[in-house]
Amino acid sequence: MTPRPSPASAAADWHRDLARAIRDPGQLLERLELPASLADHPAAKLFGVMVPESFLARMRPGDPHDPLLRQVLPDVREHDRVEGFTIDAVGDQAARRTPGLIHKYAGRALLVSTGSCAVHCRYCFRRHYPYGREPRRLDEWKPAIAALQADDSIREVILSGGDPLMLTDARLGELLDRLDAIPHLARLRIHTRLPIVLPSRVTPALCRRLQSGRLTPIVVVHANHPAEVVGDCVEALVGLVRSGLTVLNQAVLLAGVNDDADTLEALCSRLADTGVVAYYLHQLDRVAGAAHFETDESVGRALIAELERRLPGYAVPRYVREQSGESSKRRLV
Ligand SMILES: *Cc1c(COP(=O)(O)O)cnc(C)c1O
Ligand code: SF4
């Protein structure tokens, strides 16, 4: 039997994996045995490249259309100006109540816990988000914590970002302690892509901390393609599920990545096999630079209808789109 990693070495592992992530488009292409000319444009300057080794290892060498590569490789079309595609696609700024606090929907509010991520998804709706204005140090969270304390209609806090699991266990723990102490809060949601792209982040210590707080934890991960949900990623998801956490997935419908029934069926059944609930399939948020990922809503509706024919009801996600100013995400089916 291999000994369980000590907490210190488990933490060292993910910090090391993060430090080793690829940040150079040329290097990314070289590792995949693809021509450097594919990065012969400056789109990486619009939003830097970031790809952890674990995620890279799930791509097919020599395939420029690999669905995981498509999500992270800068594309010359990111420079296109397309009508309707804007910097603040979902009205985050109008819903910002204090630094770091976005409150749109009844009973739940979102904290922009950090500006960093372990992967840079080219279609990210927050790719232009002004993270520099948001809190970094614990004392800078005071206005957001005070606003949560003052509003007892809020029952659930969502840690988002960026990716909240980019915080160290110590920093995350301090923030969670503050939230645990607000009596009217009941639930804590963590929106994170790290279990998918940097599985070593899921340590026994992290699972324990999420379970041992006062708030009921819900972890929402983000995988778009079945080839993401393999190997160490499955181990991480099973680790979360077996430690008793509720784990949901949200995916984004992306042209050329997952806009066909076989791919979505494989994604949803793999999630179900792992004990992860398919929560949302998002229509793409219309953020500047991501127009080439957009799929028509009629295609999305047909895909959901097909999934319903092929899968148990619990394995079919809700197809939704976020519309600025609305009181919830809007169901499209
Ligand atoms: C998406 C989102 C939520 C969560 O919505 P659910 O439908 O509860 O998953 C909450 N706050 C903000 C600002 C959001 O964008
Ligand atoms: S992990 Fe999430 S927040 Fe980070 S770049 Fe990807 S979609 Fe955006």
Side-chain angles (χ1 to χ4, degrees):
M1 212 176 106
T2 44
R4 288 183 74 140
S6 72
S9 77
D13 283 351
W14 77 264
H15 289 290
R16 180 205 59 211
D17 291 348
L18 189 60
R20 285 185 185 163
I22 290 174
R23 295 156 187 268
D24 175 65
Q27 195 188 352
L28 175 63
L29 292 166
E30 190 186 319
R31 290 285 305 279
L32 292 167
E33 298 158 30
L34 287 167
S37 58
L38 287 177
D40 230 0
H41 55 75
K45 293 206 172 63
L46 299 173
F47 185 41
V49 164
M50 182 87 168
V51 188
E53 288 283 343
S54 162
F55 198 65
L56 175 75
R58 290 171 248 163
M59 297 176 191
R60 285 186 303 257
D63 181 2
H65 305 298
D66 179 89
L68 277 58
L69 179 63
R70 279 227 160 139
Q71 296 178 51
V72 298
L73 182 67
D75 188 298
V76 67
R77 290 170 291 180
E78 290 174 40
H79 291 282
D80 297 349
R81 281 169 194 268
V82 181
E83 177 150 354
F85 285 75
T86 59
I87 298 288
D88 180 15
V90 294
D92 276 341
Q93 294 311 314
R96 187 174 177 266
R97 300 289 170 250
T98 71
L101 180 69
I102 299 179
H103 188 193
K104 288 184 183 169
Y105 304 147
R108 54 227 197 267
L110 184 149
L111 292 183
V112 181
S113 333
T114 162
S116 49
C117 290
V119 68
H120 288 176
C121 313
R122 308 312 300 178
Y123 54 84
C124 179
F125 72 107
R126 293 211 180 109
R127 56 178 282 164
H128 308 289
Y129 193 92
Y131 288 116
R133 298 168 63 205
E134 303 304 24
R136 282 167 196 264
R137 298 191 317 272
L138 198 60
D139 57 314
E140 293 171 334
W141 281 106
K142 276 189 184 145
I145 300 286
L148 291 172
Q149 253 156 358
D151 185 348
D152 65 9
S153 74
I154 299 174
R155 306 253 305 138
E156 175 172 357
V157 169
I158 301 171
L159 300 189
S160 179
D163 198 307
L165 294 187
M166 290 290 279
L167 298 174
T168 62
D169 284 359
R171 293 283 304 280
L172 181 67
E174 287 168 353
L175 191 54
L176 296 186
D177 288 344
R178 296 284 192 288
L179 298 173
D180 275 348
I182 302 176
H184 53 265
L185 293 181
R187 298 185 302 269
L188 167 76
R189 214 194 302 180
I190 310 243
H191 279 188
T192 176
R193 190 143 155 75
L194 261 64
I196 309 298
V197 300
L198 193 83
S200 54
R201 179 63 185 99
V202 178
T203 59
L206 176 70
C207 295
R208 271 198 308 277
R209 177 59 186 87
L210 294 179
Q211 284 290 20
S212 65
R214 185 183 63 80
L215 305 174
T216 299
I218 300 141
V219 177
V220 185
V221 299
H222 169 187
N224 300 312
H225 191 280
E228 292 170 50
V229 189
V230 296
D232 53 350
C233 167
V234 170
E235 278 172 38
L237 293 174
V238 168
L240 291 167
V241 170
R242 297 265 161 96
S243 76
L245 291 156
T246 299
V247 186
L248 316 177
N249 183 65
Q250 43 187 349
V252 183
L253 184 58
L254 298 167
V257 173
N258 60 6
D259 57 339
D260 68 274
D262 290 345
T263 300
L264 285 178
E265 180 193 5
L267 172 68
C268 293
S269 31
R270 207 161 281 182
L271 291 168
D273 293 348
T274 313
V276 175
V277 178
Y279 178 40
Y280 279 152
L281 176 67
H282 291 271
Q283 176 65 14
L284 183 81
D285 294 319
R286 306 191 90 195
V287 66
H292 55 288
F293 283 113
E294 190 169 51
T295 305
D296 204 81
E297 281 178 23
S298 62
V299 173
R301 286 195 184 90
L303 287 169
I304 294 291
E306 186 58 27
L307 292 181
E308 282 171 343
R309 280 189 283 274
R310 299 188 189 184
L311 291 167
Y314 64 80
V316 179
R318 294 173 205 184
Y319 180 38
V320 293
R321 108 167 283 157
E322 179 160 354
Q323 203 75 48
S324 300
E326 289 192 357
S327 60
S328 71
K329 294 187 184 9
R330 187 197 294 177
R331 289 188 75 154
L332 294 176
V333 183

